[in-house]
Amino acid sequence: VAVIRAFLVRLVLNAVGLVVAARVVPGVELDVGRLETVALVALIFGLVNAFIRPLALLVTCLLNWLTLGLFTLVINALMFWLTAEVARALGLGFAVRDFWAAFLGALVVSVVSLVLSWAFRGLESS
């Protein structure tokens, strides 16, 4: 039950982050009018980050080490872009124009997710 709850919370955090990114980052487009599209894109994003991102980080660990971890931002952008490509292939309403839109979009999703995680953690302890 706890695993399912954590999965659903992560899905909602990703969905909110993707919606915010689509609203504030030029070049990131998401059909926010369709809840199922947002949920499916958030699911794809979560799966990409759960399965492909660790492999990408492993392959680039030396580069990541040399850049003091900053290359992780590039990996995050590539995962965001990959999510858009998978969503496009599935006919979902999510598109990322270029690398910089992916970079900023991934950054926004990360910040929104972090802030909301902190907020929910604070509510659970009270």
Side-chain angles (χ1 to χ4, degrees):
V1 175
V3 172
I4 294 172
R5 182 172 180 259
F7 170 78
L8 292 175
V9 167
R10 178 60 39 202
L11 185 70
V12 169
L13 293 177
N14 283 340
V16 171
L18 287 163
V19 168
V20 171
R23 298 273 188 202
V24 301
V25 177
V28 175
E29 298 175 16
L30 176 63
D31 184 2
V32 295
R34 296 184 52 140
L35 185 58
E36 63 273 10
T37 297
V38 175
L40 285 172
V41 172
L43 179 62
I44 293 167
F45 186 66
L47 292 173
V48 164
N49 279 315
F51 294 106
I52 298 173
R53 185 175 180 268
L55 294 173
L57 288 171
L58 181 65
V59 169
T60 61
C61 66
L62 181 60
L63 186 56
N64 218 344
W65 181 75
L66 289 172
T67 63
L68 303 175
L70 290 177
F71 195 73
T72 301
L73 297 172
V74 173
I75 296 294
N76 290 347
L78 293 174
M79 297 304 105
F80 194 79
W81 203 348
L82 178 60
T83 298
E85 290 302 310
V86 171
R88 183 183 56 78
L90 294 174
L92 299 173
F94 181 57
V96 177
R97 182 183 56 221
D98 55 22
F99 174 78
W100 292 110
F103 186 87
L104 292 174
L107 198 58
V108 167
V109 171
S110 295
V111 168
V112 168
S113 182
L114 180 68
V115 168
L116 290 177
S117 292
W118 283 343
F120 286 131
R121 202 166 299 148
L123 290 175
E124 288 174 359
S125 63
S126 49

